Amino acid sequence: MLTRHHVPVADLEDIATGRITAPTGTRVAAAERSRRTLMLRALAEAERTAAEHAAAASELHGPLPPMTYAFDLLARAERRDPQAVARVLGHPPVGVWAVRLLGRLRKGAVARPGEPPLWREAGYAHALAAAAALRAGLPARVRVPARAGRVTLPTLGHAVLDDAPGDHDVATPDTGDHDVATLETGGPGAARLTLGPYALELPADPHTPAPGWHPARVLSWTPGDPGPGVFLDDADPYRDFRSPWPPPAPVTDGESGIWQRRLHDAADLLRARHPDAARMARLVLNSLVPLPGMPRFRTSSASYAEAFGGALASLPRDPVDFAVTLVHESRHSVLNALGHQIQLVDRATGGPHADTLLYAPWRTDPRPPWGLLHGTYAFAGVADFWRAERHALTGPRADLAHFEFAVWRDAVAIALRTLADQPGLTPWGRRFVDAMACRSAPWADEQVPAGALAPALDELADLRATWCSHNLVPDPAATRRLTGFRLDGGPADEATAPPSRMRAERPPRLPELRCELRRTLLADGGTFAPDTRARLSGVERAPDLLEADMCLLLGGPANAARAAERYRAVLIAAPGTREAWVGLGLALAAAGEHTPATALLHRPELVRALALDARTRDGRLPDPVDLADWTARLPGLTGPLVTGLPGT
């Protein structure tokens, strides 16, 4: 049964400020539950449309009954045990599956290479119904898809039929496209799964491991916590929204133990020092998809609008790392849910704001207004986390926490100013942004030690200039005219800086390495570990460029001057190196040469374009510092460049 939902104004403002109460969380989750129900209705309608064409119906159903059979079983299970069905339909992969299948049905898409056949994707509905029937103790007989002898029952676990007792002398079952298993439930505590010659009695408690049966891993927020917990999902075919049906990546018992200890420690930390964030995470998150471990300061995490309550995350290195990830991803989930009920930003395709792209300090690529709002909300939580955490730490860890607070405090302020200027914000969106701004405004007055503030300001300048160098390009015709004017001896103050626009092609790229090196330096007490060069040189950074970066970050006028010379040498050899143009600007600023640094940090894409154009004309590259000094004197150099990009 569908319910009409509304968002109290108090909920909107509580969410904006990160202070979610249990009633607010309940209302958000209920609305998402209704959204999932609407998705099932849409799938039923799409199935009826497809059934009008025999070929489409055959591809859709394959060896399984129509999805309406599964939906009827879900309805019967819900009448018996509403909470059992709520747990199944609230599973984040359900949203990923529904959106994906709806897309295929509406487009009439044939499976592309590597994709499962359509009937197997539709068969996930039967797996959901089987899991709900089993949870509700409802007698049923359900046919479900199997793949390579493996049957997944979402939220419960998966069976590997060739792992069942007495079956080891039988050949592995045929794993063709038409593998179908049958689950028979006889009521509470009785279930049997069969696939060809294989049969498996599920344990009375499906959360208990047994030969052939691998229950879903569930982490608790605290030891002995009776609550629903958090799935550590390593088996569901739709667990990773980036690539449905990924190959199995089973988590070992030892790895699961690490995840559990990290979650307990992170939850303890949040409860003790960040109660609002702790409440939000526990109300929202119900599933974590483990990603491979990442090097220090490269934590990987992601979430998806239709996977409410779920997050992908790399194995956390420590409780603090995990806690800040939980804060970040729980905010994304909450804002996704709110955005499903209230339009905060005009996102109409073809509308007046559809092509707007903006600068986000935490991204390497330009973002639409809705994306910028999302990031701003998530990083406001991150900044608030470090704001409190920095006072609970000591030594280098405190230095790093002060740095993180200073960076994300100012980054959020930049983004909020950008959002405030956006005509695409709806009245409710503007109210949401205003509430965020009121909550974060006092942070600007909080003191940060000089040893952390200076690198934080460098970081912000680096982020902005690097973003410009990769995403912007000056007008080509104006650049050629300006190059000719300079080569003819024209003074800069008699010309004008040409505008820049977004590059048509912006290849994905990793975050700037200097950002990682700054954090490494702070965390390690002001020195680089002996293996830093060996780990990065020639692998992630050209050796000469890495030497310049490390020299710059060690600080001091002498190191800054040496870094400037090294960046200059890199550019003479490879003038297209964007990172070196920005690095040169940072080095010159640190050495007190502010005029050329201004051009390189405000318009690196223009200085680079002028250098490359000059070399094309006469085969010689102008001295990078002299060119930057000339460019800095152009009128209009530091004005606004493109919509949403701060001019200073």
Side-chain angles (χ1 to χ4, degrees):
M1 181 177 294
L2 292 176
T3 303
R4 184 177 296 278
H5 299 273
H6 72 280
V7 180
V9 172
D11 281 7
L12 179 84
E13 294 179 345
D14 286 347
I15 291 172
T17 57
R19 295 168 174 162
I20 295 183
T21 62
T24 300
T26 299
R27 284 189 286 271
V28 168
E32 283 298 297
R33 166 74 190 287
S34 288
R35 185 176 178 85
R36 294 278 172 86
T37 304
L38 284 171
M39 288 180 177
L40 298 187
R41 288 193 175 189
L43 284 170
E45 180 60 34
E47 182 181 54
R48 281 192 291 272
T49 301
E52 296 173 1
H53 307 281
S58 175
E59 183 183 356
L60 174 60
H61 298 146
L64 295 172
M67 285 190 291
T68 50
Y69 173 86
F71 299 153
D72 289 343
L73 181 56
L74 279 168
R76 286 192 285 127
E78 185 173 45
R79 287 192 291 271
R80 187 182 186 103
D81 187 345
Q83 289 304 311
V85 176
R87 185 67 165 155
V88 172
L89 294 186
H91 193 39
V94 176
V96 179
W97 161 74
V99 169
R100 177 178 166 81
L101 182 57
L102 275 170
R104 289 189 67 178
L105 289 174
R106 288 173 174 173
K107 294 176 183 177
V110 178
R112 296 189 297 267
E115 277 191 326
L118 190 58
W119 73 264
R120 192 184 294 280
E121 297 227 55
Y124 189 76
H126 298 280
L128 294 173
L134 192 55
R135 278 182 171 275
L138 179 69
R141 187 175 189 275
V142 193
R143 302 186 74 199
V144 294
R147 190 176 189 184
R150 182 187 182 101
V151 178
T152 298
L153 299 179
T155 74
L156 291 175
H158 67 276
V160 180
L161 271 299
D162 61 351
D163 203 18
D167 288 339
H168 300 287
D169 57 343
V170 183
T172 301
D174 175 23
T175 58
D177 283 345
H178 290 273
D179 282 352
V180 175
T182 301
L183 177 73
E184 296 178 89
T185 66
R192 177 182 175 86
L193 194 60
T194 58
L195 175 62
Y198 295 88
L200 177 66
E201 299 287 341
L202 270 60
D205 178 1
H207 303 294
T208 302
W213 175 249
H214 306 271
R217 296 183 183 273
V218 182
L219 308 178
S220 63
W221 287 100
T222 58
D225 187 349
V230 179
F231 288 112
L232 186 63
D233 194 348
D234 62 346
D236 195 288
Y238 294 95
R239 65 188 183 276
D240 189 341
F241 64 87
R242 305 167 306 173
S243 176
W245 290 82
V251 171
T252 66
D253 290 342
E255 291 168 337
S256 178
I258 294 173
W259 278 95
Q260 180 62 89
R261 290 191 295 275
R262 292 280 192 272
L263 184 58
H264 283 169
D265 292 344
D268 286 346
L269 185 158
L270 289 174
R271 277 194 305 275
R273 300 200 281 267
H274 314 273
D276 290 333
R279 189 181 309 109
M280 181 187 291
R282 182 150 184 168
L283 286 171
V284 171
L285 294 178
N286 62 48
S287 179
L288 291 168
V289 177
L291 299 177
M294 297 291 288
R296 186 168 58 157
F297 306 123
R298 297 192 195 181
T299 299
S300 177
S301 67
S303 55
Y304 175 54
E306 299 300 349
F308 174 75
L312 282 61
S314 56
L315 182 65
R317 296 179 63 86
D318 56 47
V320 174
D321 182 35
F322 200 7
V324 76
T325 298
L326 294 174
V327 169
H328 183 101
E329 295 303 339
S330 62
R331 282 192 166 228
H332 275 308
S333 253
V334 167
L335 189 54
N336 277 324
L338 182 64
H340 289 156
Q341 297 183 70
I342 300 176
Q343 188 176 34
L344 301 175
V345 176
D346 178 8
R347 291 185 278 167
T349 302
H353 314 295
D355 297 327
T356 301
L357 292 174
L358 308 167
Y359 169 59
W362 41 82
R363 292 284 298 225
T364 61
D365 56 341
R367 304 295 292 154
W370 174 240
L372 180 61
L373 178 58
H374 245 288
T376 305
Y377 183 62
F379 276 95
V382 170
D384 202 17
F385 174 87
W386 290 116
R387 172 176 168 265
E389 194 66 15
R390 64 197 180 117
H391 298 301
L393 303 174
T394 59
R397 296 177 67 206
D399 294 339
L400 180 60
H402 283 297
F403 166 86
E404 297 287 9
F405 168 63
V407 168
W408 301 123
R409 168 192 67 181
D410 288 3
V412 167
I414 290 168
L416 285 171
R417 288 196 295 271
T418 301
L419 286 166
D421 292 337
Q422 294 308 303
L425 282 183
T426 66
W428 289 116
R430 196 160 299 282
R431 187 163 185 163
F432 189 86
V433 169
D434 288 346
M436 289 175 62
C438 288
R439 173 81 172 91
S440 59
W443 301 348
D445 298 327
E446 297 197 18
Q447 296 298 308
V448 175
L453 182 59
L457 294 176
D458 289 343
E459 174 96 346
L460 289 160
D462 201 350
L463 288 169
R464 180 194 181 282
T466 301
W467 186 94
C468 290
S469 70
H470 281 275
N471 293 296
L472 301 182
V473 59
D475 179 76
T479 300
R480 288 192 294 271
R481 289 194 298 270
L482 191 58
T483 297
F485 180 76
R486 189 188 66 82
L487 291 175
D488 290 341
D493 58 7
E494 294 182 8
T496 302
S500 288
R501 55 177 171 77
M502 293 288 180
R503 293 173 61 196
E505 295 182 3
R506 299 179 295 273
R509 62 184 180 87
L510 295 173
E512 171 52 40
L513 183 63
R514 278 189 296 266
C515 300
E516 178 183 335
L517 291 173
R518 280 189 193 90
R519 288 167 171 79
T520 299
L521 197 62
L522 282 164
D524 293 344
T527 61
F528 286 114
D531 69 338
T532 301
R533 286 181 178 83
R535 181 168 55 87
L536 300 174
S537 183
V539 179
E540 299 194 27
R541 205 68 149 186
D544 292 347
L545 182 55
L546 179 62
E547 289 297 328
D549 289 335
M550 294 175 69
C551 194
L552 167 69
L553 298 179
L554 286 171
N559 279 327
R562 282 194 290 270
E565 287 305 312
R566 290 179 178 181
Y567 284 124
R568 189 199 305 248
V570 169
L571 291 169
I572 290 172
T577 309
R578 292 181 169 88
E579 296 81 4
W581 286 107
V582 176
L584 178 60
L586 294 167
L588 291 173
E593 298 185 46
H594 297 294
T595 300
T598 296
L600 289 164
L601 296 180
H602 285 270
R603 299 295 302 276
E605 80 287 355
L606 176 59
V607 182
R608 176 181 178 273
L610 290 170
L612 294 174
D613 192 48
R615 188 183 65 165
T616 299
R617 290 190 179 214
D618 60 10
R620 293 183 302 170
L621 185 77
D623 179 82
V625 178
D626 291 345
L627 177 61
D629 189 84
W630 186 88
T631 307
R633 303 175 195 279
L634 290 169
L637 181 80
T638 59
L641 309 182
V642 292
T643 302
L645 181 62
T648 59

mmCIF file of all heavy atoms in Angstrom, residues 356-381:
data_model
loop_
_atom_site.group_PDB
_atom_site.id
_atom_site.type_symbol
_atom_site.label_atom_id
_atom_site.label_comp_id
_atom_site.label_asym_id
_atom_site.label_seq_id
_atom_site.Cartn_x
_atom_site.Cartn_y
_atom_site.Cartn_z
ATOM 1 N N THR A 356 24.601 24.053 -16.916
ATOM 2 C CA THR A 356 25.457 24.767 -15.974
ATOM 3 C C THR A 356 26.447 23.807 -15.328
ATOM 4 O O THR A 356 26.059 22.750 -14.826
ATOM 5 C CB THR A 356 24.614 25.440 -14.878
ATOM 6 O OG1 THR A 356 23.702 26.352 -15.493
ATOM 7 C CG2 THR A 356 25.492 26.189 -13.894
ATOM 8 N N LEU A 357 27.722 24.183 -15.352
ATOM 9 C CA LEU A 357 28.772 23.396 -14.713
ATOM 10 C C LEU A 357 29.570 24.310 -13.802
ATOM 11 O O LEU A 357 29.888 25.446 -14.167
ATOM 12 C CB LEU A 357 29.684 22.751 -15.759
ATOM 13 C CG LEU A 357 29.046 21.657 -16.616
ATOM 14 C CD1 LEU A 357 30.007 21.212 -17.713
ATOM 15 C CD2 LEU A 357 28.660 20.457 -15.753
ATOM 16 N N LEU A 358 29.920 23.783 -12.629
ATOM 17 C CA LEU A 358 30.482 24.620 -11.572
ATOM 18 C C LEU A 358 31.747 23.995 -10.979
ATOM 19 O O LEU A 358 31.988 22.790 -11.094
ATOM 20 C CB LEU A 358 29.443 24.815 -10.467
ATOM 21 C CG LEU A 358 28.068 25.310 -10.911
ATOM 22 C CD1 LEU A 358 27.059 25.161 -9.781
ATOM 23 C CD2 LEU A 358 28.150 26.754 -11.363
ATOM 24 N N TYR A 359 32.508 24.855 -10.320
ATOM 25 C CA TYR A 359 33.731 24.417 -9.636
ATOM 26 C C TYR A 359 33.390 23.835 -8.270
ATOM 27 O O TYR A 359 32.689 24.458 -7.469
ATOM 28 C CB TYR A 359 34.680 25.603 -9.475
ATOM 29 C CG TYR A 359 35.858 25.343 -8.561
ATOM 30 C CD1 TYR A 359 36.763 24.318 -8.832
ATOM 31 C CD2 TYR A 359 36.071 26.126 -7.431
ATOM 32 C CE1 TYR A 359 37.841 24.078 -8.001
ATOM 33 C CE2 TYR A 359 37.155 25.905 -6.592
ATOM 34 C CZ TYR A 359 38.034 24.877 -6.881
ATOM 35 O OH TYR A 359 39.106 24.638 -6.055
ATOM 36 N N ALA A 360 33.894 22.631 -8.001
ATOM 37 C CA ALA A 360 33.769 22.004 -6.684
ATOM 38 C C ALA A 360 35.179 21.688 -6.200
ATOM 39 O O ALA A 360 35.892 20.900 -6.842
ATOM 40 C CB ALA A 360 32.942 20.723 -6.766
ATOM 41 N N PRO A 361 35.632 22.256 -5.092
ATOM 42 C CA PRO A 361 37.024 22.066 -4.667
ATOM 43 C C PRO A 361 37.421 20.617 -4.434
ATOM 44 O O PRO A 361 38.617 20.290 -4.504
ATOM 45 C CB PRO A 361 37.095 22.878 -3.354
ATOM 46 C CG PRO A 361 36.016 23.902 -3.472
ATOM 47 C CD PRO A 361 34.916 23.230 -4.239
ATOM 48 N N TRP A 362 36.472 19.755 -4.141
ATOM 49 C CA TRP A 362 36.796 18.360 -3.835
ATOM 50 C C TRP A 362 36.741 17.461 -5.073
ATOM 51 O O TRP A 362 36.955 16.259 -4.960
ATOM 52 C CB TRP A 362 35.809 17.816 -2.800
ATOM 53 C CG TRP A 362 34.410 18.274 -3.072
ATOM 54 C CD1 TRP A 362 33.515 17.737 -3.950
ATOM 55 C CD2 TRP A 362 33.773 19.412 -2.491
ATOM 56 N NE1 TRP A 362 32.354 18.463 -3.964
ATOM 57 C CE2 TRP A 362 32.479 19.504 -3.058
ATOM 58 C CE3 TRP A 362 34.159 20.350 -1.540
ATOM 59 C CZ2 TRP A 362 31.575 20.498 -2.704
ATOM 60 C CZ3 TRP A 362 33.261 21.341 -1.194
ATOM 61 C CH2 TRP A 362 31.989 21.405 -1.764
ATOM 62 N N ARG A 363 36.456 18.025 -6.222
ATOM 63 C CA ARG A 363 36.349 17.215 -7.438
ATOM 64 C C ARG A 363 37.375 17.665 -8.464
ATOM 65 O O ARG A 363 37.751 18.829 -8.526
ATOM 66 C CB ARG A 363 34.947 17.356 -8.047
ATOM 67 C CG ARG A 363 33.837 16.749 -7.230
ATOM 68 C CD ARG A 363 33.810 15.252 -7.329
ATOM 69 N NE ARG A 363 33.568 14.773 -8.669
ATOM 70 C CZ ARG A 363 32.735 13.805 -9.002
ATOM 71 N NH1 ARG A 363 32.014 13.221 -8.065
ATOM 72 N NH2 ARG A 363 32.601 13.407 -10.244
ATOM 73 N N THR A 364 37.777 16.728 -9.310
ATOM 74 C CA THR A 364 38.678 17.074 -10.409
ATOM 75 C C THR A 364 37.910 17.526 -11.642
ATOM 76 O O THR A 364 38.514 18.050 -12.577
ATOM 77 C CB THR A 364 39.540 15.863 -10.781
ATOM 78 O OG1 THR A 364 38.691 14.787 -11.219
ATOM 79 C CG2 THR A 364 40.367 15.383 -9.586
ATOM 80 N N ASP A 365 36.588 17.319 -11.646
ATOM 81 C CA ASP A 365 35.778 17.661 -12.809
ATOM 82 C C ASP A 365 34.721 18.699 -12.429
ATOM 83 O O ASP A 365 34.375 18.842 -11.254
ATOM 84 C CB ASP A 365 35.090 16.407 -13.375
ATOM 85 C CG ASP A 365 34.257 15.691 -12.327
ATOM 86 O OD1 ASP A 365 34.468 15.925 -11.117
ATOM 87 O OD2 ASP A 365 33.386 14.885 -12.700
ATOM 88 N N PRO A 366 34.184 19.444 -13.404
ATOM 89 C CA PRO A 366 33.110 20.395 -13.098
ATOM 90 C C PRO A 366 31.818 19.661 -12.776
ATOM 91 O O PRO A 366 31.567 18.559 -13.266
ATOM 92 C CB PRO A 366 32.993 21.214 -14.386
ATOM 93 C CG PRO A 366 33.552 20.349 -15.456
ATOM 94 C CD PRO A 366 34.587 19.491 -14.820
ATOM 95 N N ARG A 367 30.994 20.274 -11.926
ATOM 96 C CA ARG A 367 29.788 19.625 -11.446
ATOM 97 C C ARG A 367 28.551 20.450 -11.773
ATOM 98 O O ARG A 367 28.578 21.680 -11.730
ATOM 99 C CB ARG A 367 29.855 19.447 -9.920
ATOM 100 C CG ARG A 367 31.070 18.689 -9.457
ATOM 101 C CD ARG A 367 31.040 17.266 -9.961
ATOM 102 N NE ARG A 367 29.989 16.497 -9.334
ATOM 103 C CZ ARG A 367 29.400 15.435 -9.898
ATOM 104 N NH1 ARG A 367 29.745 15.043 -11.106
ATOM 105 N NH2 ARG A 367 28.455 14.774 -9.250
ATOM 106 N N PRO A 368 27.433 19.791 -12.059
ATOM 107 C CA PRO A 368 26.162 20.522 -12.185
ATOM 108 C C PRO A 368 25.732 21.010 -10.802
ATOM 109 O O PRO A 368 26.240 20.534 -9.777
ATOM 110 C CB PRO A 368 25.209 19.460 -12.741
ATOM 111 C CG PRO A 368 25.780 18.164 -12.259
ATOM 112 C CD PRO A 368 27.266 18.339 -12.248
ATOM 113 N N PRO A 369 24.784 21.948 -10.742
ATOM 114 C CA PRO A 369 24.380 22.490 -9.429
ATOM 115 C C PRO A 369 23.949 21.420 -8.426
ATOM 116 O O PRO A 369 24.296 21.507 -7.245
ATOM 117 C CB PRO A 369 23.230 23.437 -9.791
ATOM 118 C CG PRO A 369 23.550 23.895 -11.186
ATOM 119 C CD PRO A 369 24.150 22.695 -11.865
ATOM 120 N N TRP A 370 23.185 20.411 -8.884
ATOM 121 C CA TRP A 370 22.754 19.356 -7.952
ATOM 122 C C TRP A 370 23.960 18.591 -7.418
ATOM 123 O O TRP A 370 24.031 18.268 -6.223
ATOM 124 C CB TRP A 370 21.775 18.422 -8.644
ATOM 125 C CG TRP A 370 21.365 17.220 -7.838
ATOM 126 C CD1 TRP A 370 21.541 15.917 -8.169
ATOM 127 C CD2 TRP A 370 20.677 17.214 -6.580
ATOM 128 N NE1 TRP A 370 21.026 15.089 -7.201
ATOM 129 C CE2 TRP A 370 20.486 15.864 -6.209
ATOM 130 C CE3 TRP A 370 20.218 18.215 -5.733
ATOM 131 C CZ2 TRP A 370 19.849 15.489 -5.026
ATOM 132 C CZ3 TRP A 370 19.586 17.845 -4.540
ATOM 133 C CH2 TRP A 370 19.407 16.489 -4.206
ATOM 134 N N GLY A 371 24.933 18.312 -8.273
ATOM 135 C CA GLY A 371 26.137 17.629 -7.822
ATOM 136 C C GLY A 371 26.931 18.476 -6.848
ATOM 137 O O GLY A 371 27.491 17.970 -5.870
ATOM 138 N N LEU A 372 27.009 19.793 -7.112
ATOM 139 C CA LEU A 372 27.727 20.674 -6.194
ATOM 140 C C LEU A 372 27.020 20.732 -4.845
ATOM 141 O O LEU A 372 27.672 20.725 -3.787
ATOM 142 C CB LEU A 372 27.845 22.078 -6.788
ATOM 143 C CG LEU A 372 28.588 23.093 -5.916
ATOM 144 C CD1 LEU A 372 30.028 22.655 -5.656
ATOM 145 C CD2 LEU A 372 28.558 24.476 -6.552
ATOM 146 N N LEU A 373 25.693 20.783 -4.853
ATOM 147 C CA LEU A 373 24.954 20.792 -3.594
ATOM 148 C C LEU A 373 25.227 19.514 -2.809
ATOM 149 O O LEU A 373 25.440 19.544 -1.586
ATOM 150 C CB LEU A 373 23.459 20.947 -3.870
ATOM 151 C CG LEU A 373 22.542 20.917 -2.636
ATOM 152 C CD1 LEU A 373 22.919 22.011 -1.653
ATOM 153 C CD2 LEU A 373 21.083 21.053 -3.053
ATOM 154 N N HIS A 374 25.229 18.381 -3.497
ATOM 155 C CA HIS A 374 25.513 17.105 -2.843
ATOM 156 C C HIS A 374 26.879 17.121 -2.175
ATOM 157 O O HIS A 374 27.025 16.757 -0.992
ATOM 158 C CB HIS A 374 25.464 15.974 -3.877
ATOM 159 C CG HIS A 374 24.363 15.005 -3.634
ATOM 160 N ND1 HIS A 374 24.367 14.104 -2.597
ATOM 161 C CD2 HIS A 374 23.211 14.797 -4.289
ATOM 162 C CE1 HIS A 374 23.268 13.392 -2.627
ATOM 163 N NE2 HIS A 374 22.538 13.796 -3.657
ATOM 164 N N GLY A 375 27.902 17.515 -2.938
ATOM 165 C CA GLY A 375 29.242 17.533 -2.378
ATOM 166 C C GLY A 375 29.372 18.509 -1.232
ATOM 167 O O GLY A 375 30.049 18.233 -0.224
ATOM 168 N N THR A 376 28.729 19.663 -1.345
ATOM 169 C CA THR A 376 28.801 20.663 -0.289
ATOM 170 C C THR A 376 28.199 20.127 1.002
ATOM 171 O O THR A 376 28.753 20.309 2.098
ATOM 172 C CB THR A 376 28.056 21.944 -0.722
ATOM 173 O OG1 THR A 376 28.588 22.397 -1.968
ATOM 174 C CG2 THR A 376 28.210 23.044 0.309
ATOM 175 N N TYR A 377 27.071 19.436 0.869
ATOM 176 C CA TYR A 377 26.422 18.880 2.056
ATOM 177 C C TYR A 377 27.300 17.798 2.696
ATOM 178 O O TYR A 377 27.459 17.757 3.924
ATOM 179 C CB TYR A 377 25.057 18.318 1.670
ATOM 180 C CG TYR A 377 24.266 17.774 2.838
ATOM 181 C CD1 TYR A 377 23.888 18.609 3.886
ATOM 182 C CD2 TYR A 377 23.900 16.439 2.889
ATOM 183 C CE1 TYR A 377 23.155 18.120 4.962
ATOM 184 C CE2 TYR A 377 23.165 15.937 3.952
ATOM 185 C CZ TYR A 377 22.802 16.784 4.994
ATOM 186 O OH TYR A 377 22.097 16.284 6.054
ATOM 187 N N ALA A 378 27.873 16.930 1.862
ATOM 188 C CA ALA A 378 28.721 15.865 2.400
ATOM 189 C C ALA A 378 29.972 16.444 3.062
ATOM 190 O O ALA A 378 30.362 16.033 4.166
ATOM 191 C CB ALA A 378 29.106 14.893 1.283
ATOM 192 N N PHE A 379 30.610 17.412 2.412
ATOM 193 C CA PHE A 379 31.848 17.953 2.970
ATOM 194 C C PHE A 379 31.595 18.925 4.124
ATOM 195 O O PHE A 379 32.499 19.164 4.930
ATOM 196 C CB PHE A 379 32.702 18.577 1.875
ATOM 197 C CG PHE A 379 33.533 17.553 1.162
ATOM 198 C CD1 PHE A 379 33.087 16.975 -0.019
ATOM 199 C CD2 PHE A 379 34.732 17.129 1.689
ATOM 200 C CE1 PHE A 379 33.824 16.003 -0.654
ATOM 201 C CE2 PHE A 379 35.483 16.157 1.062
ATOM 202 C CZ PHE A 379 35.041 15.586 -0.119
ATOM 203 N N ALA A 380 30.395 19.466 4.236
ATOM 204 C CA ALA A 380 30.067 20.203 5.449
ATOM 205 C C ALA A 380 30.106 19.262 6.651
ATOM 206 O O ALA A 380 30.571 19.635 7.743
ATOM 207 C CB ALA A 380 28.687 20.851 5.319
ATOM 208 N N GLY A 381 29.632 18.039 6.450
ATOM 209 C CA GLY A 381 29.744 17.036 7.511
ATOM 210 C C GLY A 381 31.183 16.685 7.813
ATOM 211 O O GLY A 381 31.580 16.511 8.969
#
